[in-house]
Amino acid sequence: MKEDIFFVSKDGTKFTYHKLMEDINNSSQLYRCCYNPDTFSIFIQIITSIVYGTNLVLLDYDFTDKELNSLGIDKNELISYEYINNREVIDFRDIINKIETNKDWTLTLFTSGTTGLPKRVTHSINNLTRFVRISDKHKYDIWGFAYNPTHIAGIQVFFQALLNRNTIIDLFNLNKNEVYKRIEEYQITNISATPTFYRMLMPIDKYYPSIRRITSGGERFDVNLSENLLRIFPNAKLRNIYASTEAGSVLESTNDHFRITNPQICKIEHNKLYIHNSLIGLEDNSNYWYDTGDLVEIIDENTGEFVFISRDNDVINVGGYNANPSEIEEAICKHPSIAEARVWGKPNPVIGNILIADVVCKCSCTEKELREYLRSMLQDYKIPRIINFTTEIEKTRSGKIKRKLL
Amino acid sequence: MINILKDIINNVRENNGMSPLENISENMDLRADFGFDSLDLAELTVKIEKETGIDIFADSLVNTVGEILEKISK
């Protein structure tokens, strides 16, 4: 009989499904916010909150105090919990039943807004499991877990694996050698990750036959990369997903061309993709069609095939994470030596776009000093990696910072 | 050339709260030996390009210091 492993953590600790159920049964406190550095504990908290039908707010553990503040979350909320007991999970079927029946349960996540303030997005269980496929075919899938567990893509992989009672091997933030070691050691069959994650696995002159499915999402698809991936993983089928924090997975394809197969949930108007509100997190229901801000180009009028070309707002995709330049500029300008700042994204072969800050100083300041300061204000991926000290930043006629056009 | 590269690598390390390295050698691995993640590698490419005019990851990523030196000495 195969070992009933649910999760293998970065340090190699194996947690069985039995242990998962034991931990849920032994939980005596149910937190409303999940603010935890440990992936297994995050999974326990999610499942426990479903079992008890209590909504959960999921936070990145690297949010700074300033970021938590701007999300409207105070420290007391992070430690507030209710006591729980006596709701035994008898077997795995029990967990599945709760997931299937607790339709009112919601999970709240955060994403960079387009206006400067981070946005709260609340999903129902239906939304989070919409793309989950459960069948005998998936019974023996072994998942390489490469997304942040507090982000929607990670949550979707978690549900796909859990509902098929699969094993999840943690690969998130591991370096290249460790990832390959784990693929081989645990015979991983499925990986879902950003193009940046896959790029970091290059170059390599070995191949790994255990991988059967490679899913790419969170950033623009990289055609050269896909050829390399199929060489390294010769038995894999490749899938490209278009998804967003607001809607989860929306479209899929085997390359960078997409087609709308269900016009009830997606449409293109004026070369922009809109998603029907039935797919959108609960707190965004005011508009009937949600404006994704993603601009497309129709490749074939007959088939409706299109590709994503750019965005119509300022959000910059950094290795699959959305960064809002206004939020970063505001943080930079809080430094006492800085008078003005402009943040922009420069195309980069590793992470898609690298953040660059042009700054005007009031008094002397070094790059190292400024970046150290920003580390106390912002998550790592939001900190500009290149700081250009300059004497002037171009303004529009109304006095706003002129956004850099690339 | 290796000294210029060492300065750039140390600049990236120090900017990200890591200590500078006394020496680097050709067989050192950017990820395993320097602890560089994707953001650090991205920063490295821009800084090397600024210094040498060469985008070291234009075709594909590389693993070691030696591979970078090969690209920038062409």
Side-chain angles (χ1 to χ4, degrees), chain B residues 2-11 21-24:
Chain B
I2 195 161
N3 282 332
I4 296 173
L5 187 57
K6 187 182 90 178
D7 290 345
I8 299 174
I9 287 169
N10 277 338
N11 174 266
L21 299 162
E22 295 257 328
N23 291 302
I24 60 168

Side-chain angles (χ1 to χ4, degrees), chain A residues 312-328:
Chain A
D312 76 339
N313 55 43
D314 298 329
V315 173
I316 302 163
N317 190 316
V318 179
Y321 293 86
N322 285 335
N324 185 307
S326 313
E327 182 193 359
I328 302 162

Side-chain angles (χ1 to χ4, degrees), chain A residues 173-361:
Chain A
N173 279 346
L174 289 184
N175 77 29
K176 177 183 166 184
N177 296 343
E178 292 165 322
V179 169
Y180 282 122
K181 199 172 148 227
R182 291 192 148 217
I183 291 175
E184 207 156 29
E185 185 176 350
Y186 297 104
Q187 291 291 295
I188 291 173
T189 59
N190 295 50
I191 300 183
S192 180
T194 57
T196 291
F197 175 89
Y198 294 123
R199 278 191 287 263
M200 287 294 284
L201 297 181
M202 309 291 163
I204 182 103
D205 52 12
K206 275 182 82 174
Y207 67 92
Y208 295 82
S210 68
I211 301 283
R212 295 196 308 263
R213 172 67 77 180
I214 290 287
T215 307
S216 172
E219 285 172 82
R220 199 191 294 194
F221 190 70
D222 182 331
V223 178
N224 290 335
L225 176 69
S226 70
E227 285 166 14
N228 283 327
L229 285 172
L230 293 174
R231 201 171 34 76
I232 299 166
F233 307 117
N235 296 329
K237 283 190 177 140
L238 206 138
R239 176 166 54 198
N240 181 24
I241 300 265
Y242 169 83
S244 71
T245 301
E246 294 82 1
S249 301
V250 180
L251 297 166
E252 66 172 72
S253 149
T254 53
N255 51 40
D256 59 340
H257 290 201
F258 286 93
R259 265 172 53 202
I260 290 176
T261 48
N262 184 351
Q264 260 132 35
I265 58 168
C266 273
K267 69 173 180 182
I268 291 171
E269 249 178 45
H270 307 297
N271 286 330
K272 198 167 14 169
L273 183 73
Y274 292 81
I275 302 172
H276 190 262
N277 80 344
S278 57
L279 297 193
I280 298 293
L282 302 174
E283 289 182 21
D284 268 44
N285 276 359
S286 48
N287 291 326
Y288 193 69
W289 287 95
Y290 171 75
D291 176 350
T292 63
D294 286 312
L295 300 174
V296 305
E297 186 185 329
I298 306 280
I299 299 293
D300 186 330
E301 290 287 351
N302 297 325
T303 61
E305 244 176 56
F306 66 89
V307 291
F308 289 96
I309 47 169
S310 60
R311 295 185 59 89
D312 76 339
N313 55 43
D314 298 329
V315 173
I316 302 163
N317 190 316
V318 179
Y321 293 86
N322 285 335
N324 185 307
S326 313
E327 182 193 359
I328 302 162
E329 286 159 0
E330 195 187 299
I332 295 173
C333 289
K334 288 221 165 90
H335 188 286
S337 301
I338 306 297
E340 276 181 325
R342 170 174 62 186
V343 170
W344 51 286
K346 182 183 178 204
N348 181 275
V350 189
I351 53 174
N353 295 289
I354 184 168
L355 292 180
I356 299 195
D358 302 329
V359 298
V360 178
C361 291

Side-chain angles (χ1 to χ4, degrees), chain A residues 22 33 377:
Chain A
E22 216 173 60
C33 291
M377 313 269 282

